[in-house]
Amino acid sequence: MKNLDQKNNWTLEELKTKYNLPFNDLLWEAHQIHRKYHDPNKVQISTLMSVKTGGCPEDCKYCSQSIRYDTGIELEKTLSLEEVLKQAREAKKNGASRFCMGAAWRNLNNSNLGKIVDMVKGVKELGLESCVTLGMLTSDQAQTLKDAGLDYYNHNLDTSEEYYSKVVTTRTYQDRLDTIKNVRNANIKVCCGGILGLGENHDDRLKLLNVLANLDVQPESVPINKLVRVKGTPFSENQNVDDFDFIRIIALARIVMPFSMVRLSAGRDSMNDQTQALCFFAGANSIFYGEELLTTKNSSIQHDQELMRKLKIGAI
Ligand code: SAM
Ligand code: DTB
Ligand code: SF4
C-alpha cells in the first residue's frame, strides 16, 4: 500500500548530492531515518531455496543457472512439495519468518503454476510468509498466486536501464517493469532490488535506486546483492565492489525508501563483520539466513548467530 509520506519524485541530482556527502554525514542521515521508521536492533530473516535449478534460457551474465555458461552446477527438475516443505520447516526452526522459493525460469509456465500454488499454500500453513521468484509473470498468473496466499514476489531490476543490455540481452528493462506492475496490481508485495559489481558505474547504481524510489508504490522489500562471482560466467573476473561504496548504497536506499525493508542479500559471505555492521547502521534490516542462497554459499548459520549476538541484533 502506498504510504502517503513517500516521496516519488526523486531526481538523479538529489541522489548524487546525498551519495557524495561525507561518509559520516550520509550514514547519520540514513540512520536517523532508519530509527524513525524501524527498530534499529532488529532484522527480518528470510531463507532461500531453489525449487528448480539450472538450465535457464536467459543469458544473465552473472548467473550460475543460465544454460549458456558452463558453471558446473547440477541441474534439478522442479522439486516435490514434500522436499520443499521439509526445508521450509527447517528454516522456521532456525528462526526464519519468510521462505523464498526461486526457480530458474525465464517466465512462469502455466503447466507449473499448480505446483507453485501448492508450495505457497504449504509454506503459509507452516505459519511462514511466502515469497517466490519465478521470472516473468502475467497478470492472471499473479492473481492466481495472490489467491493462493502469496505474500511477496521477487523480481529484480539489477541495474540501470542504460546498463541493462550489458548484463542481459534476452529480455528488456521494460519486461521487468511490466512484471513488477502485474505483481503490484495483484496486491502482492513487491521485492525488487539489484546487484552491485556487474561492471556498472556509480551513476548506474544511483539510477537503479532512482527507478525503485520513483515507482508509484515503492517496493516493500529491496534486496541489495553484491555479485557472487561464479566461475564460468562472463562476470566471473569482475572487480570487487568497494565496501564503502556498498555501504553508501545501502544508506541511500534507506534515505530514498524510508519505509522499505532493505535486504543485505547475496555476497554477505565476502563481507567482513564490520562492513555488515555498518550496513545495519546505515539502514539494512533484513538478511538471507541459511548455509545456501540458491546455488552459492551464504554466510554460515553459526557465523551469523555470533554476529547477531555481538551486535545485539534480534530477529523480527
Ligand atoms: N529466474 C528468476 C529471475 O531472474 O527473476 C528468479 C531467480 S534469479 C536467480 C533471482 C535473482 O538473483 C536475480 O534477479 C539476481 O538479481 C540475483 N542473482 C543471481 N545470480 C546472482 C549472483 N551471482 N550474484 C548476486 N545476485 C545474483
Ligand atoms: C535476491 O535479490 N537475491 C537472491 C533472491 N533475490 C532470489 C538470490 C541470490 C542468488 C545468488 C546466487 C546463487 O546462489 O545462485
Ligand atoms: Fe535465469 Fe534468473 Fe539466472 Fe537470469 S537470473 S539466468 S533469469 S535464473
Side-chain angles (χ1 to χ4, degrees):
M1 232 190 19
K2 186 165 184 161
N3 192 312
L4 292 175
D5 289 343
Q6 212 175 77
K7 169 170 154 70
N8 296 91
N9 60 353
W10 289 97
T11 65
L12 188 58
E13 280 317 306
E14 285 176 312
L15 266 67
K16 277 187 190 168
T17 304
K18 294 207 181 284
Y19 185 74
N20 289 311
L21 283 169
F23 188 74
N24 285 338
D25 292 353
L26 174 62
L27 255 65
W28 180 233
E29 183 174 340
H31 187 72
Q32 287 183 88
I33 291 174
H34 190 44
R35 253 174 203 273
K36 186 167 170 196
Y37 298 109
H38 305 270
D39 183 335
N41 301 309
K42 288 266 188 299
V43 294
Q44 183 275 329
I45 291 179
S46 292
T47 292
L48 268 174
M49 179 183 193
S50 180
V51 300
K52 191 271 170 184
T53 308
C56 182
E58 301 278 57
D59 69 352
C60 313
K61 292 195 176 82
Y62 48 77
C63 187
S64 64
Q65 305 197 66
S66 166
I67 200 159
R68 320 228 173 177
Y69 318 126
D70 184 8
T71 62
I73 61 158
E74 227 172 277
L75 306 191
E76 246 171 10
K77 288 207 193 110
T78 310
L79 298 182
S80 70
L81 180 61
E82 249 335 288
E83 285 170 291
V84 173
L85 294 186
K86 190 168 160 237
Q87 294 248 11
R89 274 182 221 113
E90 188 67 22
K92 184 165 185 196
K93 208 174 77 196
N94 284 327
S97 61
R98 188 176 311 155
F99 194 65
C100 308
M101 297 163 277
W105 291 324
R106 169 175 162 75
N107 56 278
L108 173 61
N109 198 312
N110 278 339
S111 60
N112 289 314
L113 188 53
K115 278 187 210 159
I116 299 292
V117 161
D118 290 344
M119 290 177 194
V120 169
K121 286 184 175 162
V123 165
K124 294 292 294 177
E125 274 165 21
L126 295 175
L128 285 160
E129 288 182 315
S130 57
C131 173
V132 290
T133 179
L134 315 166
M136 291 183 263
L137 273 193
T138 65
S139 49
D140 286 351
Q141 290 170 337
Q143 194 53 55
T144 305
L145 292 174
K146 172 71 187 175
D147 295 342
L150 183 68
D151 296 295
Y152 289 83
Y153 195 85
N154 166 249
H155 203 65
N156 290 338
L157 287 170
D158 285 345
T159 186
S160 68
E161 180 161 20
E162 290 82 348
Y163 192 65
Y164 200 63
S165 62
K166 300 278 188 305
V167 179
V168 191
T169 68
T170 48
R171 58 171 188 255
T172 64
Y173 212 67
Q174 190 56 49
D175 288 332
R176 291 307 259 190
L177 290 168
D178 290 346
T179 290
I180 292 163
K181 191 178 257 176
N182 291 340
V183 170
R184 177 59 76 201
N185 287 343
N187 255 322
I188 298 168
K189 293 187 193 109
V190 172
C191 171
C192 181
I195 310 179
L196 308 193
L198 304 173
E200 75 285 352
N201 60 33
H202 292 282
D203 277 6
D204 291 311
R205 295 173 185 171
L206 303 190
K207 285 176 185 168
L208 166 68
L209 293 187
N210 206 173
V211 172
L212 294 172
N214 286 353
L215 287 171
D216 278 346
V217 181
Q218 295 179 346
E220 283 79 4
S221 160
V222 180
I224 306 290
N225 296 274
K226 178 179 165 191
L227 176 73
V228 180
R229 290 178 290 191
V230 176
K231 224 171 140 215
T233 62
F235 287 166
S236 63
E237 302 292 326
N238 276 17
Q239 240 189 349
N240 195 22
V241 179
D242 180 82
D243 285 340
F244 290 108
D245 292 346
F246 192 94
I247 298 160
R248 279 179 181 272
I249 287 294
I250 295 278
L252 192 59
R254 170 51 65 229
I255 292 170
V256 298
M257 293 174 277
F259 307 103
S260 305
M261 301 298 285
V262 175
R263 181 168 312 110
L264 195 48
S265 303
R268 269 194 320 114
D269 191 38
S270 65
M271 288 173 200
N272 64 24
D273 288 354
Q274 292 78 357
T275 298
Q276 292 189 56
L278 279 171
C279 287
F280 294 132
F281 184 79
N285 58 351
S286 170
I287 55 168
F288 285 123
Y289 182 70
E291 307 285 334
E292 266 216 316
L293 294 163
L294 290 173
T295 66
T296 65
K297 205 157 76 56
N298 194 16
S299 282
S300 78
I301 288 188
Q302 198 201 345
H303 190 109
D304 279 347
Q305 284 177 347
E306 258 167 51
L307 179 59
M308 296 306 148
R309 193 174 43 76
K310 280 188 208 162
L311 301 178
K312 298 203 165 118
I313 286 182
I316 289 176

